[in-house]
Amino acid sequence: MRILFNNNIPLPPLELLHSFFFLEPMEWRRTYGRAPKMIHLEANFVQFKEELLPKEGNKALLTFPFLHIYWTDCCDTEMYKSSVKEDMMRWQNSLRTHGSSDWVIIVVETNDTKKKNKTNILPRSSIVDKIRSDFCNKQSDRCVVLSDPLKDSSRSQESWNSLLLKLRTLLLMSFTKNLGRFEDEMRTLREKRTQPGWSFCEYFMVQEELAFVFEMLQQFEDALVQYDELDALFTQYVLNFGAGDTANWLGSFCAPVRNWSGLLLRRPIDMEKRDGIQRGEASLLDLRSYLFSRQCTLLIFLQRPWEVTQRALELLHNCVQELRLLEVQVLEGALDCWVFLSCLEVLHRIEGCCDPAQLAANCSHTVGLWAYATDKLKSLGELCGLVSKKGPNSEDLNRTVDLLAGLGDERPETVNSLQSPYKKLKEALSSVEAFERHYLELSHAAMEMYQAIGRLRSARLVGKSLAEFYMRKGDPERAETFLQEALKSYVSEGWSLPVTHTRRQVAECQKLLSKTEDYLQTSALLAGDVNLTTEERKHFCQEILSFTGKSGDQRKSHKVTLSMGVFAQLTQLKFHPATASVHSGAVLQVELTLRCLMPVSVRIQQLVASIHFEVDHGGTHGRSKGAQRQTHPGTVVFSQSNSSVGPPSSSGAGPSLELDEVQDRSPSDNSLNSTGVICKNTHLLMRRHDSNSPPDTPNCISPPTVGIKEGAQMLKVQDVTLEPGNNSITFTAPPGTYTLRQLCATVGEVQFILPHIYPSAQYEVYSQEPQLTVEPLSEPLLAGLPQKVKFTLLTGHYTVKKGDALQLSNTETMPILPSTSCTARISSPTSELVGESTLSIQSSEKVTSISLPPAPPYHTLEFQLEVLCIIPSGADRPANERLTNGEVRHRPRSYSHPDTPMTAIDQRMSIDCPWSIYSTLLALTFYIPFKTKHSLLSAGNRKYIQVCVQNVSDVNFTLAEVKLTEKQHASLELQSLNTKTQQLLCCKHSVFCLWEVRWKDDLPSCLQCVFSANFSPLSQDISAYKPFHYQFQLERVTTLYSVKAEIFPPAGEQHCRSGVLCGLEVCITRLTDPAEGEIAEDSKTETDGPKTTKLMYEVADSSSNWAVCGKSSGMVLMPMTANATHKVQIEVMPLFAGHLPFPKIKVLKYLPHTAAVAIQPDPDSCVENDSLSLLDKTLDDQGDTASIRSRGSVHSVGSGDQQQKGVAMPRLDPFSPGQVFNHSHARQVLVLPATDDHIMEVNAT
């Protein structure tokens, strides 16, 4: 910034002032709310001259004096009045005249001045005060005192700091004010751009002045913004011009281009071009070159070199378009020269500010310039005749001279550089060899950079351009390599038009190289390419037909194999019939729909479909053919996106998955264990592909040569003509299960092969064995009732003849019921009814013969029979019978089924069939609808038998004629107590029946009973009743003992009270004499005494109403005579008040041990030993034993020591139901509460 000073005194060195001024940064607060910044002020001190003051209309900021300083060291009043004051007034008048209001007066005070004028000196403060009063009346801070500036003292240093701070502050204020005024004037000028006479060049110089100021302040970002605004403004005017909105000042930029020397980035400011812009004589390229050079300089300052390359690429493309929009006359090839030189200039400028490692790491930013330069050099070579085989002619040489003349002289900055863009271009255009060397160098450099950054598409695009260069040079071998790489990218990305164009170039190379098979393959692709015209497609199709017309002798029977997808597309496959499954003897046709891609009709000598035989391995690899036939669609439509039938220009991603179902079945019963999916073409999907290129896709680039597998079975048709579009071809399928795998069309010496047909299509011409199945018509089958079962015969390959019959083995447990109207239905494989016939059924003792009606093969014969499963009654089983096949018949056993409460019975039958020498074993499962149980009831000496019938099925039944008989004793009478003759037995309910047993002399000890009843479903009449029998046996039914108990209150009490001991008297009475054969093992025989038996009694209360005190159990010796009685006294205590049931009393047989050495118990406890119950309890009663033991007072004779010595122990045997009758079983006794008074607290709220 410029500072003008008026020096009437010797000043300190200006370098010192400049260095002091730039030392510290200042905070710069700008207008319009922009963020503050820290800047370093750089001042330029200039001697005051009036001609240096700014004139009216001067917009130069760089030479503008932002601050004026008046220096004085006057300390004499007379001198001040006589000369200094007048000089200050002239100085301020000059500033006021030119509108400068930023000034400061500095009064310098030194000791030398004081000594020299000691007599006339006034105090310094008076001189400063007079100056402030005369000139700084309202701005007292505009007068500053500097003390001893040349001395090294603290006072001088402080004075300097104060002065510099004041100067920086005033200078920054002045700069901010004048800069804001300049920006306002610049905006005003820009807003006038729509007025006539407005000039962009003039405005350019104004805004660039602002950019220079920001650059001076090292605010490079703000300076770059100014150039970007100029760039955008000029671009908008050019676009408006192209849209029809013209501006007068654009005429100067529409002048023809005379110089195309390229960008110049080696100078900070290109003054030559700047002067041309200032004069309005610059061309469009000059303006753009200068503007970009300034942007490049600022970006380098900002350390953003990679943005330079990005902007340069945009600039070069935009300049070409702007020249076309402005319709500027440019010599042909001049723009290519300018772009080529500019690209290399930018690259050299970047190389100058970056090291090689940075360049290699950021080649993604520079590769675009390399590729653009390569493209423009190729265009120049084609223009100047440097690419043709013959070389340049005279016209090409003249054009080269004109282009080199427009470059002008080489710039001084690059004269000494051997690799300057100017020298490279001049050398490349000088000869064919030099051009080829430079072009190949640039091309390979661009390709390597593209490959290094992973831009394979761009690398192959450069390679395609290089291939065109080789084709012009007559080198098709190198050209084909680059074209194939480019074709891969186009195919993988689905660019149909580039694929067609590149494929034509590939075909041209292959034809020149005599690659017959490749050329035919590519010709077939082009013949079916819809992007070509009809004439072009016919040309390539004729190329194929011409080759196929050659004689076989010339070709030595060599077949050329091509992909089917380039010739025709398999669009649909249809089976007739649609099930794709027929029996042997029927006709199965396979209809293929082929869409011919050729533009003309093509005669095919032979069309072959390769088929693969499917073997049913069974076991772990078995497949369910029936399931495949059920799910087969009948018509298979092939998607156009499928790789095997895709269009020539499709971008398939490799072969599709060929999936098949695998079922794991059990070898024993063929049941399904597991199922899975396998891939049948894993060898194609798992191939390794090149990581740098997309995988080869069939029918797109170079489909793989896949021949028909040797030894494969085939479907063939001869002499087929394919018309353009859809064609239908029909094959007849041979017997077996086959999958269509491949398709081959033979045209002369050319074979078109479709290597994989997917989705896979399978058909079956099968031969099936007859199958006989029996299944119930309703579930479940109930035993005891007639049930219908369905016989289904699949005849398979067997023809049922007249006289054929089924031989069923008869069984007693499941007879076949005779029927007069049994009809058989015969249906076709499509379930259509063919006929009906009445069956003839003949039964004998062991066999039931069913005569079958005649039926053709692969038909279904169905009929129904009624069978009855006899409910087992539990009687003795007869001897084993034998089936018709000689096997021993095993009686069916009932068992519990986990899924139902009913008992199941499996019935097996043997069937002899006329088509087999072996018998067929079939099984049916029946369920018994009833569960029956019985019980013996006693009332003293009277006996009752109760039978419970429970209906566990879901059917309601009616029971009738319920009877109970005894088979062994005729004198025994069973009197029925059932009042109803018929009873309803609902599902899940029970019916109880009761009989009283009456006898005359003695009651037998064992009864053999038979319960019988008739039953039928509720909805049927009485004629449908079926018998039901249940046999059971009752043993030891005679009552031997009666037990009576009495409870006595304590003495002096009328009733028992809770908590008070009472007496319990148990009376055990023998009711009968010993029966014949009743010799107890525990009986004791004395010489003259009667026989006795040992009984064990036990008193227990499981409901915890009584507490047994003292002995709760013991052993008694009971005489074996009628009316023998034994009484036992026991103390009990009621625990609660009320009517309490009597304690439970048990009587058991006591069986002593049979060992020779016996344990001698204590004589006092031999009769009633409480601990003996511990020896005779079973494991189920151990809980009660523990409670008894706690009350006992005698040790157990069965101690652990005795048991370890092997001493035999006595045991207990319970009586059968009815042998002991307890009279007090349901008796109760009144117990009063205790008489103790209790205090109860009651709180009332």
Side-chain angles (χ1 to χ4, degrees):
M1 300 179 188
R2 178 174 290 188
I3 299 177
L4 299 183
F5 62 90
N6 190 332
N7 59 333
N8 292 330
I9 60 171
L11 286 177
L14 295 180
E15 293 81 3
L16 184 61
L17 282 176
H18 184 275
S19 60
F20 284 166
F21 211 87
F22 190 73
L23 273 178
E24 297 183 4
M26 294 287 291
E27 185 182 22
W28 180 28
R29 295 184 176 273
R30 303 181 62 185
T31 56
Y32 300 107
R34 286 173 282 192
K37 297 182 179 180
M38 300 300 293
I39 61 173
H40 287 270
L41 297 176
E42 185 175 358
N44 184 18
F45 292 89
V46 180
Q47 181 70 36
F48 176 80
K49 293 180 182 179
E50 193 169 351
E51 57 268 18
L52 295 178
L53 295 176
K55 306 297 190 295
E56 184 68 25
N58 186 8
K59 296 182 176 60
L61 276 177
L62 293 178
T63 59
F64 186 84
F66 290 99
L67 186 62
H68 301 268
I69 303 176
Y70 190 93
W71 297 84
T72 180
D73 60 351
C74 178
C75 292
D76 187 357
T77 305
E78 296 299 330
M79 184 182 296
Y80 170 74
K81 291 180 180 180
S82 61
S83 60
V84 175
K85 183 177 180 181
E86 293 180 2
D87 190 51
M88 284 185 182
M89 292 180 65
R90 286 194 301 269
W91 174 68
Q92 282 210 341
N93 289 334
S94 298
L95 297 180
R96 196 177 296 111
T97 303
H98 292 85
S100 297
S101 59
D102 298 306
W103 51 268
V104 65
I105 299 174
I106 301 176
V107 180
V108 180
E109 176 187 306
T110 61
N111 291 331
D112 296 338
T113 307
K114 291 181 180 180
K115 292 178 181 178
K116 189 183 297 183
N117 301 314
K118 201 169 189 180
T119 56
N120 298 324
I121 285 180
L122 289 175
R124 181 185 59 79
S125 59
S126 61
I127 293 295
V128 174
D129 292 340
K130 290 186 71 64
I131 293 176
R132 286 176 177 170
S133 63
D134 293 339
F135 300 100
C136 309
N137 214 0
K138 297 181 181 179
Q139 297 175 325
S140 60
D141 59 337
R142 294 298 177 112
C143 183
V144 182
V145 178
L146 179 61
S147 301
D148 296 330
L150 301 180
K151 289 189 176 181
D152 188 9
S153 63
S154 59
R155 186 167 177 267
S156 174
Q157 186 66 33
E158 182 180 355
S159 179
W160 267 114
N161 291 338
S162 176
L163 173 64
L164 291 175
L165 179 60
K166 177 62 70 175
L167 290 179
R168 290 194 194 100
T169 303
L170 293 176
L171 180 60
L172 189 59
M173 292 173 56
S174 174
F175 173 74
T176 304
K177 178 180 65 176
N178 288 283
L179 182 63
R181 187 184 301 121
F182 182 86
E183 288 178 333
D184 293 339
E185 292 176 356
M186 186 184 70
R187 292 192 198 94
T188 302
L189 181 61
R190 184 171 57 195
E191 291 171 358
K192 294 179 181 180
R193 63 184 180 276
T194 57
Q195 297 179 5
W198 188 83
S199 173
F200 176 79
C201 294
E202 180 182 349
Y203 176 75
F204 182 92
M205 304 308 294
V206 173
Q207 190 158 2
E208 189 185 28
E209 186 78 16
L210 180 61
F212 285 154
V213 172
F214 284 130
E215 185 178 359
M216 178 191 65
L217 295 176
Q218 297 184 357
Q219 302 300 311
F220 302 116
E221 190 69 46
D222 292 333
L224 182 61
V225 169
Q226 309 308 316
Y227 286 110
D228 289 344
E229 289 180 356
L230 289 171
D231 190 354
L233 181 62
F234 184 78
T235 301
Q236 188 61 48
Y237 269 104
V238 174
L239 294 177
N240 293 343
F241 182 88
D245 186 7
T246 60
N248 295 331
W249 55 267
L250 273 175
S252 61
F253 295 101
C254 297
V257 176
R258 304 298 181 186
N259 182 277
W260 41 85
S261 57
L263 296 175
L264 178 60
L265 305 180
R266 303 172 191 260
R267 300 176 186 171
I269 300 176
D270 190 350
M271 297 304 299
E272 182 181 350
K273 288 186 174 59
R274 187 176 189 276
D275 293 341
I277 296 172
Q278 191 171 11
R279 295 192 304 268
E281 299 174 358
S283 65
L284 177 65
L285 294 182
D286 292 338
L287 175 65
R288 284 299 188 185
S289 298
Y290 177 76
L291 189 58
F292 182 76
S293 67
R294 293 297 303 140
Q295 291 173 326
C296 175
T297 301
L298 294 173
L299 287 172
I300 296 297
F301 286 152
L302 290 170
Q303 297 181 354
R304 287 149 57 181
W306 313 119
E307 189 174 340
V308 174
T309 60
Q310 178 186 353
R311 289 183 177 227
L313 201 57
E314 295 175 359
L315 168 74
L316 298 178
H317 286 287
N318 292 337
C319 281
V320 174
Q321 299 300 324
E322 289 175 353
L323 289 172
R324 293 177 182 174
L325 286 176
L326 296 179
E327 300 176 357
V328 178
Q329 295 182 4
V330 184
L331 181 66
E332 186 180 7
L335 270 183
D336 294 336
C337 291
W338 183 79
V339 171
F340 177 80
L341 293 172
S342 299
C343 288
L344 295 187
E345 178 68 14
V346 174
L347 292 173
H348 286 186
R349 183 69 180 91
I350 297 302
E351 290 175 0
C353 63
C354 298
D355 54 34
Q358 289 179 320
L359 290 173
N362 294 275
C363 61
S364 59
H365 299 92
T366 59
V367 66
L369 293 174
W370 285 102
Y372 202 17
T374 304
D375 185 54
K376 291 306 176 183
L377 184 59
K378 178 187 175 185
S379 300
L380 287 173
E382 293 174 351
L383 185 65
C384 299
L386 300 173
V387 181
S388 63
K389 296 180 181 179
K390 299 179 180 180
N393 52 27
S394 59
E395 184 180 353
D396 296 333
L397 294 176
N398 292 333
R399 188 180 294 111
T400 303
V401 171
D402 294 338
L403 291 176
L404 293 177
L407 299 180
D409 297 331
E410 187 172 5
R411 293 156 181 165
E413 291 84 0
T414 62
V415 169
N416 298 325
S417 175
L418 298 178
Q419 297 293 327
S420 66
Y422 181 87
K423 290 186 176 67
K424 281 190 176 183
L425 180 59
K426 196 170 182 179
E427 182 182 358
L429 297 181
S430 62
S431 66
V432 175
E433 294 77 10
F435 173 82
E436 183 175 353
R437 185 178 71 255
H438 284 286
Y439 176 69
L440 293 179
E441 179 184 349
L442 290 175
S443 298
H444 287 292
M447 289 178 63
E448 290 175 1
M449 291 182 187
Y450 276 131
Q451 291 173 356
I453 63 177
R455 291 178 57 180
L456 300 181
R457 184 193 304 117
S458 300
R460 285 163 180 164
L461 184 62
V462 176
K464 185 172 181 292
S465 178
L466 195 57
E468 295 173 356
F469 170 77
Y470 282 124
M471 287 295 293
R472 286 177 175 268
K473 299 291 290 184
D475 190 356
E477 186 173 1
R478 293 186 181 180
E480 186 191 14
T481 304
F482 291 108
L483 290 174
Q484 291 286 9
E485 291 295 322
L487 188 58
K488 286 183 181 179
S489 295
Y490 296 147
V491 168
S492 63
E493 296 172 9
W495 300 98
S496 61
L497 289 176
V499 165
T500 303
H501 179 263
T502 308
R503 190 169 281 146
R504 290 186 61 182
Q505 294 175 317
V506 171
E508 183 180 355
C509 294
Q510 291 170 346
K511 187 173 184 180
L512 292 174
L513 295 171
S514 300
K515 294 184 177 181
T516 305
E517 292 191 17
D518 294 339
Y519 176 65
L520 291 177
Q521 180 77 52
T522 308
S523 297
L525 287 168
L526 292 171
D529 197 333
V530 295
N531 292 323
L532 294 178
T533 63
T534 305
E535 294 300 324
E536 290 174 323
R537 294 176 62 192
K538 287 182 179 180
H539 165 72
F540 288 107
C541 183
Q542 191 60 40
E543 291 286 309
I544 302 173
L545 297 179
S546 300
F547 176 82
T548 59
K550 295 180 180 181
S551 63
D553 296 338
Q554 295 177 356
R555 299 299 300 169
K556 296 181 181 180
S557 301
H558 174 66
K559 295 285 186 180
V560 177
T561 303
L562 303 180
S563 174
M564 173 71 78
V566 304
F567 173 72
Q569 293 179 0
L570 178 60
T571 59
Q572 182 176 284
L573 186 147
K574 185 181 294 185
F575 291 99
H576 301 284
T579 56
S581 177
V582 298
H583 58 80
S584 58
V587 177
L588 175 66
Q589 291 184 335
V590 182
E591 180 183 351
L592 301 182
T593 301
L594 286 177
R595 185 163 69 90
C596 182
L597 302 177
M598 297 294 103
V600 295
S601 300
V602 179
R603 179 177 172 273
I604 299 177
Q605 283 77 22
Q606 181 177 260
L607 184 63
V608 174
S610 171
I611 55 179
H612 175 70
F613 181 69
E614 297 291 340
V615 181
D616 188 5
H617 299 287
T620 58
H621 299 285
R623 293 180 175 85
S624 175
K625 296 181 181 178
Q628 290 181 357
R629 289 199 299 270
Q630 293 173 4
T631 59
H632 206 287
T635 300
V636 180
V637 179
F638 298 94
S639 174
Q640 296 301 310
S641 61
N642 190 289
S643 63
S644 62
V645 293
S649 300
S650 67
S651 57
S656 299
L657 287 173
E658 292 187 14
L659 302 179
D660 199 1
E661 180 186 9
V662 172
Q663 295 180 351
D664 181 7
R665 293 186 175 275
S666 173
S668 58
D669 57 357
N670 202 32
S671 61
L672 182 64
N673 293 333
S674 64
T675 185
V677 176
I678 62 169
C679 179
K680 301 171 65 176
N681 60 338
T682 312
H683 61 288
L684 296 177
L685 296 171
M686 301 299 289
R687 289 185 303 173
R688 182 182 182 273
H689 297 292
D690 184 10
S691 59
N692 294 327
S693 62
D696 292 343
T697 52
N699 308 329
C700 294
I701 302 171
S702 178
T705 302
V706 179
I708 293 292
K709 294 181 179 179
E710 295 183 3
Q713 293 179 296
M714 301 179 184
L715 307 177
K716 298 181 181 180
V717 291
Q718 305 290 338
D719 293 330
V720 178
T721 300
L722 293 185
E723 301 290 339
N726 290 331
N727 300 266
S728 179
I729 298 97
T730 303
F731 298 92
T732 300
T737 301
Y738 292 95
T739 301
L740 297 176
R741 287 294 179 86
Q742 295 175 309
L743 199 62
C744 176
T746 303
V747 183
E749 300 300 321
V750 179
Q751 286 185 337
F752 295 96
I753 295 179
L754 178 62
H756 303 283
I757 296 178
Y758 184 82
S760 60
Q762 181 177 325
Y763 73 86
E764 183 177 16
V765 181
Y766 58 90
S767 176
Q768 187 179 13
E769 294 293 329
Q771 295 181 4
L772 178 65
T773 57
V774 180
E775 56 186 356
L777 285 181
S778 61
E779 292 287 350
L781 292 175
L782 294 180
L785 295 175
Q787 301 288 298
K788 287 188 176 183
V789 293
K790 178 181 178 182
F791 287 73
T792 304
L793 172 60
L794 301 177
T795 60
H797 64 80
Y798 182 76
T799 301
V800 181
K801 301 176 292 294
K802 185 177 181 180
D804 288 345
L806 300 178
Q807 306 293 331
L808 279 69
S809 59
N810 291 337
T811 62
E812 293 182 358
T813 57
M814 192 188 70
I816 297 176
L817 303 180
S819 175
T820 58
S821 59
C822 183
T823 304
R825 293 168 50 91
I826 304 174
S827 56
S828 66
T830 58
S831 301
E832 297 179 1
L833 180 63
V834 175
E836 293 184 352
S837 177
T838 302
L839 295 178
S840 174
I841 303 177
Q842 298 179 357
S843 297
S844 63
E845 182 180 356
K846 293 185 177 182
V847 177
T848 298
S849 177
I850 304 174
S851 298
L852 299 177
Y858 299 101
H859 279 60
T860 303
L861 193 149
E862 298 176 344
F863 60 90
Q864 298 176 7
L865 293 180
E866 244 184 356
V867 297
L868 177 65
C869 177
I870 305 300
I871 300 178
S873 61
D876 296 335
R877 296 182 179 179
N880 289 329
E881 303 175 358
R882 291 188 178 271
L883 301 174
T884 57
N885 60 356
E887 294 184 5
V888 176
R889 177 194 302 279
H890 299 282
R891 303 289 294 181
R893 296 182 179 180
S894 59
Y895 60 92
S896 298
H897 198 277
D899 299 331
T900 176
M902 294 186 290
T903 302
I905 303 177
D906 288 337
Q907 296 284 358
R908 298 175 63 191
M909 67 171 66
S910 173
I911 304 177
D912 291 340
C913 305
W915 55 83
S916 175
I917 62 174
Y918 301 103
S919 298
T920 302
L921 294 179
L922 299 176
L924 292 174
T925 301
F926 291 84
Y927 296 91
I928 301 176
F930 305 124
K931 282 188 176 181
T932 311
K933 56 184 178 180
H934 63 278
S935 59
L936 177 66
L937 307 178
S938 301
N941 288 328
R942 302 178 67 179
K943 299 294 181 180
Y944 300 88
I945 299 176
Q946 178 180 272
V947 178
C948 173
V949 181
Q950 181 183 5
N951 183 5
V952 292
S953 69
D954 296 330
V955 182
N956 296 329
F957 292 99
T958 300
L959 289 182
E961 300 181 10
V962 179
K963 296 179 181 180
L964 183 65
T965 58
E966 208 281 332
K967 298 190 297 183
Q968 294 182 350
H969 304 87
S971 61
L972 197 69
E973 178 185 356
L974 297 177
Q975 182 178 355
S976 175
L977 301 181
N978 307 304
T979 58
K980 296 181 180 180
T981 59
Q982 292 186 356
Q983 295 214 12
L984 175 64
L985 181 56
C986 298
C987 62
K988 313 302 180 186
H989 285 69
S990 301
V991 168
F992 293 87
C993 303
L994 188 65
W995 287 266
E996 183 179 359
V997 182
R998 296 178 179 269
W999 61 92
K1000 294 181 179 179
D1001 298 329
D1002 294 324
L1003 179 64
S1005 61
C1006 180
L1007 300 179
Q1008 296 289 338
C1009 300
V1010 178
F1011 171 79
S1012 61
N1014 293 331
F1015 71 99
S1016 70
L1018 186 63
S1019 59
Q1020 298 182 9
D1021 55 7
I1022 193 171
S1023 61
Y1025 277 96
K1026 298 297 177 182
F1028 170 67
H1029 300 281
Y1030 172 67
Q1031 298 185 16
F1032 59 92
Q1033 179 176 326
L1034 296 175
E1035 296 181 351
R1036 293 179 288 184
V1037 298
T1038 306
T1039 304
L1040 300 180
Y1041 298 96
S1042 68
V1043 178
K1044 294 183 180 179
E1046 291 292 340
I1047 296 179
F1048 302 99
E1053 295 289 340
Q1054 187 177 0
H1055 297 283
C1056 297
R1057 290 185 179 275
S1058 62
V1060 179
L1061 290 175
C1062 301
L1064 173 64
E1065 182 183 75
V1066 180
C1067 179
I1068 303 174
T1069 305
R1070 173 82 183 197
L1071 300 180
T1072 61
D1073 292 328
E1076 184 178 355
E1078 183 185 357
I1079 302 176
E1081 294 180 356
D1082 57 344
S1083 61
K1084 180 180 179 183
T1085 304
E1086 297 180 356
T1087 305
D1088 297 328
K1091 295 181 179 180
T1092 61
T1093 183
K1094 293 180 181 179
L1095 299 180
M1096 184 76 181
Y1097 71 89
E1098 183 179 349
V1099 179
D1101 182 31
S1102 59
S1103 59
S1104 302
N1105 292 324
W1106 301 88
V1108 181
C1109 303
K1111 298 180 180 179
S1112 62
S1113 61
M1115 184 182 68
V1116 299
L1117 290 175
M1118 196 71 187
M1120 297 182 64
T1121 58
N1123 299 321
T1125 303
H1126 187 88
K1127 294 183 180 180
V1128 177
Q1129 301 291 334
I1130 300 174
E1131 289 185 345
V1132 295
M1133 178 187 294
L1135 302 179
F1136 303 99
H1139 290 276
L1140 300 184
F1142 274 45
K1144 186 176 180 181
I1145 302 171
K1146 295 181 181 179
V1147 177
L1148 305 170
K1149 294 180 183 179
Y1150 181 81
L1151 302 178
H1153 58 82
T1154 58
V1157 180
I1159 302 174
Q1160 298 297 329
D1162 187 2
D1164 298 334
S1165 60
C1166 185
V1167 178
E1168 296 183 359
N1169 193 347
D1170 182 50
S1171 64
L1172 290 178
S1173 63
L1174 300 177
L1175 307 176
D1176 306 322
K1177 297 293 286 183
T1178 61
L1179 293 176
D1180 295 336
D1181 298 331
Q1182 286 182 1
D1184 295 339
T1185 303
S1187 63
I1188 297 171
R1189 180 181 299 175
S1190 64
R1191 306 187 191 103
S1193 58
V1194 180
H1195 292 288
S1196 171
V1197 297
S1199 62
D1201 295 339
Q1202 293 172 338
Q1203 291 180 2
Q1204 291 178 1
K1205 295 178 181 178
V1207 179
M1209 303 302 295
R1211 58 187 178 88
L1212 297 177
D1213 189 15
F1215 287 98
S1216 298
Q1219 285 188 308
V1220 177
F1221 180 72
N1222 191 347
H1223 290 270
S1224 58
H1225 179 67
R1227 287 186 62 188
Q1228 293 181 339
V1229 63
L1230 176 63
V1231 177
L1232 299 179
T1235 58
D1236 295 342
D1237 296 331
H1238 298 280
I1239 299 175
M1240 181 174 62
E1241 296 182 1
V1242 179
N1243 295 326
T1245 57

